[in-house]
Amino acid sequence: MPWEIRPRVPNGGGFEGYGERMRPLIDRAGHDFETEALVVRTDFSDDGAWRVVVDQLADGCAEYERDTHAVDDRAFDGASPEEVVLSTLLGDPRLEVVFLADAASMRGEYALLAVSTREEELDEGDDELGCVFRLLPALVNEMHVNLAIGHLDFWEYAHAAAQDPGQILRT
């Protein structure tokens, strides 16, 4: 089924506004598009918390493969969501979402930041949800697979997260 890819890159595709430096390309060669979610570590303050996040990624739904392409590269330390999206799209423009393990992810419930690589398309009367929300690590692979096969879209998940008092997708 063909669809139009509308990456969320401002300034007509320019790199302005993407931080002080260009982050490295995230090479997805050898990684399965449909089954391997991309998780990028952007906070390196707590290795123990990162290990908890990685362990929770493996605790996903048994219905889905739990392969995760985890990028644990200090070149992404402090990277903004926009910088990671750019590095992601340069490596695999098919991805609709990238998950960030940022500073907020390294405490509490370890909720990752889900970042859409596409612009939000609103119909009349739709509420703007934005291109980011948080979710528990165990839900990452389920969400990724559903987006990859076109079963659900990013904003259905974002809407569900917005219903939670903590703004975190939990189920």
Side-chain angles (χ1 to χ4, degrees):
M1 149 173 101
W3 67 87
E4 179 185 359
I5 295 177
R6 294 185 45 197
R8 192 171 53 85
V9 179
N11 304 321
F15 300 140
E16 244 180 82
Y18 276 87
E20 296 179 15
R21 63 185 174 144
M22 179 72 178
R23 305 294 175 154
L25 166 96
I26 297 175
D27 185 7
R28 296 273 297 166
H31 293 277
D32 185 63
F33 165 72
E34 285 190 358
T35 62
E36 288 187 66
L38 177 62
V39 177
V40 180
R41 183 179 182 186
T42 64
D43 179 84
F44 289 80
S45 64
D46 187 341
D47 289 337
W50 170 244
R51 284 190 293 278
V52 170
V53 168
V54 170
D55 288 346
Q56 288 185 9
L57 287 166
D59 290 339
C61 174
E63 184 178 339
Y64 300 94
E65 289 187 42
R66 291 179 298 274
D67 293 328
T68 304
H69 178 189
V71 176
D72 186 7
D73 182 343
R74 288 195 176 271
F76 288 96
D77 190 18
S80 70
E82 292 82 8
E83 289 172 319
V84 175
V85 165
L86 180 60
S87 294
T88 299
L89 290 176
L90 292 173
D92 191 345
R94 299 172 299 170
L95 284 179
E96 294 188 36
V97 65
V98 62
F99 303 94
L100 276 61
D102 60 359
S105 302
M106 299 300 171
R107 59 184 181 275
E109 295 178 275
Y110 304 102
L112 300 177
L113 187 66
V115 183
S116 175
T117 64
R118 307 288 183 252
E119 292 180 358
E120 184 174 7
E121 295 179 23
L122 297 174
D123 292 325
E124 190 174 323
D126 284 352
D127 292 329
E128 187 170 338
L129 296 169
C131 294
V132 299
F133 68 88
R134 293 205 173 268
L135 79 164
L136 298 179
L139 300 175
V140 162
N141 289 296
E142 175 185 344
M143 180 181 170
H144 172 78
V145 168
N146 276 313
L147 293 177
I149 65 174
H151 182 69
L152 296 168
D153 69 32
F154 181 89
W155 289 275
E156 290 174 279
Y157 286 102
H159 178 73
Q163 306 311 304
D164 180 76
Q167 304 289 297
I168 297 172
L169 184 65
R170 299 172 193 283
T171 58

